[in-house]
Amino acid sequence: MAKMINCKHCGQEIAASAKVCPHCGGKNKKPFYKKWWFWVLVVLVLLIGAGSNGSKNTDTKKVGEVETADKKEESKSAGTETASTEAKETEAKEAKTEYHVGDILEDGNMRIVYVSSGDYHEDNEYMQPQDGKKYIYAKFEFENISDSKDASVSFYSFECYADGYACDMHYGNDESLSATLSAGRTTSGILVFEVPIDAKEIEIEYTTNMFTSDKIKFIYDGEKDSGYTPKTNTAASADAYSVGSIVESSKMNVTYISCEKDTSYSQFSEPKSGYHYITCTFEFENVGDSDQGVTYYDFDCYADGVNCEQAYWRDDGISATLSAGRKTKGTVTYMVPDNATTVEVEYVANFWTSNRVVFTVEE
């Protein structure tokens, strides 16, 4: 007997292999994390990240705390910071093992802000918590503070414990905290967990390096908001390519064919309030001597420096393995804020060197 699941759009029972619900027409795309190549990619990312993110910098600040380099220098010149005081402060920072809403810390190439926490309310009637339990959320912002290297974060690196017992993660929210960030880019999102209503202590652990099991512990603070304003950067990249450009390399030539606001979505894939979809079309030509692959997972989009969610409801998403001399054409689609000033799409030309090609979004 075929395995059955519930449609995530209408709740009707459908075959697990069904890509489209026969009852409502909604797409039930198999999550990319269930595909073999995703886990190969994860292992490769972690192997690279083991060196860059392995050592923790526990220099912690609170949201709203401002201390410029000039102030530090002035303080030192006035003699208000003695060697013994600095030693005590350093020791206190190194001893810190738990972080609360409002804390800002750095780990390897990542700057992490614990923005807020609270109860999470699920609108979908088919995805409610079990009796005696509730959903809670924690919101974070991650910024890649390196000069040139990519950095990644995934909600799979987080675990939650209520009074010491592991809790299930809830995947229904539309603010996923998963992204690969190029240098200077940011992403924000929430993690949602199902916990007992009467839990006394809830902790969220972030595994920074799976090979060393290094973890950062965040304490769930109930309904609390730090008031932190998400970081944005409206400056356009100086080397960005516009529609009509052809980017040549020794292996792949990329033609930026078009970019436009996309309204071809269905009622089951409507953008969030205050957002809209943009779709960019590219052509790739293999000009090398061996096979070359390209997929929409090689692309990222940033609106004012903040990572945008990719959409997969189009049928012409770019994905192909090309033999020498062959071509392919396809699209990438993203949900971007209506009020964004600068939107750019980046193509990862070389995964190992973080070499990226930037394209300007022109709607």
Side-chain angles (χ1 to χ4, degrees), residues 90-106:
T90 301
E91 183 179 351
K93 288 173 182 177
E94 291 176 349
K96 188 174 180 66
T97 59
E98 299 179 351
Y99 299 91
H100 294 264
V101 170
D103 280 341
I104 302 175
L105 61 146
E106 293 180 6

Side-chain angles (χ1 to χ4, degrees), residues 125-197:
E125 62 178 304
Y126 303 104
M127 304 177 72
Q128 297 302 309
Q130 301 176 39
D131 290 343
K133 294 187 177 182
K134 66 176 182 178
Y135 291 137
I136 59 100
Y137 80 90
K139 184 173 184 177
F140 297 92
E141 179 185 87
F142 279 71
E143 178 187 3
N144 181 353
I145 57 176
S146 73
D147 294 328
S148 59
K149 294 182 178 179
D150 285 1
S152 298
V153 58
S154 169
F155 52 75
Y156 291 111
S157 297
F158 291 83
E159 299 288 344
C160 179
Y161 299 91
D163 297 331
Y165 288 87
C167 301
D168 290 332
M169 182 177 284
H170 174 61
Y171 302 101
N173 79 85
D174 56 2
E175 296 182 58
S176 174
L177 185 67
S178 287
T180 298
L181 306 174
S182 55
R185 304 296 194 177
T186 66
T187 188
S188 63
I190 65 174
L191 302 165
V192 179
F193 296 96
E194 187 179 36
V195 304
I197 293 176

Side-chain angles (χ1 to χ4, degrees), residues 17-301:
S17 59
K19 295 182 179 179
V20 178
C21 176
H23 304 288
C24 68
K27 289 191 175 183
N28 285 265
K29 187 177 184 295
K30 184 177 181 181
F32 61 85
Y33 58 81
K34 291 187 178 180
K35 298 182 179 180
W36 66 268
W37 56 262
F38 170 76
W39 293 109
V40 173
L41 184 60
V42 168
V43 171
L44 291 174
V45 170
L46 291 170
L47 283 170
I48 294 174
S52 60
N53 291 341
S55 59
K56 288 194 250 182
N57 178 351
T58 54
D59 185 3
T60 309
K61 295 183 180 180
K62 296 293 289 185
V63 168
E65 200 176 282
V66 179
E67 186 176 23
T68 65
D70 291 340
K71 287 183 179 180
K72 286 183 178 180
E73 193 62 34
E74 179 183 347
S75 178
K76 289 180 180 179
S77 63
T80 57
E81 290 184 1
T82 64
S84 60
T85 301
E86 290 177 348
K88 289 179 180 179
E89 289 178 350
T90 301
E91 183 179 351
K93 288 173 182 177
E94 291 176 349
K96 188 174 180 66
T97 59
E98 299 179 351
Y99 299 91
H100 294 264
V101 170
D103 280 341
I104 302 175
L105 61 146
E106 293 180 6
D107 178 76
N109 291 332
M110 284 291 200
R111 176 178 178 267
I112 309 169
V113 183
Y114 188 3
V115 179
S116 62
S117 65
D119 289 346
Y120 179 83
H121 303 285
E122 175 59 68
D123 294 330
N124 191 325
E125 62 178 304
Y126 303 104
M127 304 177 72
Q128 297 302 309
Q130 301 176 39
D131 290 343
K133 294 187 177 182
K134 66 176 182 178
Y135 291 137
I136 59 100
Y137 80 90
K139 184 173 184 177
F140 297 92
E141 179 185 87
F142 279 71
E143 178 187 3
N144 181 353
I145 57 176
S146 73
D147 294 328
S148 59
K149 294 182 178 179
D150 285 1
S152 298
V153 58
S154 169
F155 52 75
Y156 291 111
S157 297
F158 291 83
E159 299 288 344
C160 179
Y161 299 91
D163 297 331
Y165 288 87
C167 301
D168 290 332
M169 182 177 284
H170 174 61
Y171 302 101
N173 79 85
D174 56 2
E175 296 182 58
S176 174
L177 185 67
S178 287
T180 298
L181 306 174
S182 55
R185 304 296 194 177
T186 66
T187 188
S188 63
I190 65 174
L191 302 165
V192 179
F193 296 96
E194 187 179 36
V195 304
I197 293 176
D198 59 355
K200 299 295 188 297
E201 183 179 48
I202 301 173
E203 300 172 328
I204 298 171
E205 293 184 353
Y206 169 48
T207 303
T208 62
N209 190 320
M210 67 174 293
F211 299 103
T212 61
S213 297
D214 288 340
K215 298 180 185 294
I216 297 175
K217 185 186 296 183
F218 299 96
I219 305 301
Y220 173 69
D221 287 331
E223 294 288 345
K224 188 173 183 180
D225 192 332
S226 66
Y228 176 78
T229 301
K231 185 174 182 179
T232 58
N233 181 6
T234 60
S237 299
D239 56 350
Y241 291 90
S242 59
V243 170
S245 298
I246 300 176
V247 184
E248 298 181 343
S249 73
S250 60
K251 295 182 179 181
M252 283 277 216
N253 288 348
V254 186
T255 302
Y256 188 13
I257 297 175
S258 66
C259 189
E260 57 190 5
K261 185 175 182 179
D262 198 330
T263 59
S264 62
Y265 53 84
S266 71
Q267 61 176 318
F268 303 105
S269 55
E270 292 183 359
K272 297 185 294 186
S273 177
Y275 288 74
H276 65 276
Y277 288 118
I278 59 100
T279 292
C280 298
T281 304
F282 297 91
E283 180 180 86
F284 282 76
E285 179 184 7
N286 182 357
V287 294
D289 298 327
S290 58
D291 288 0
Q292 301 293 328
V294 60
T295 171
Y296 41 76
Y297 292 118
D298 296 330
F299 289 82
D300 295 295
C301 178

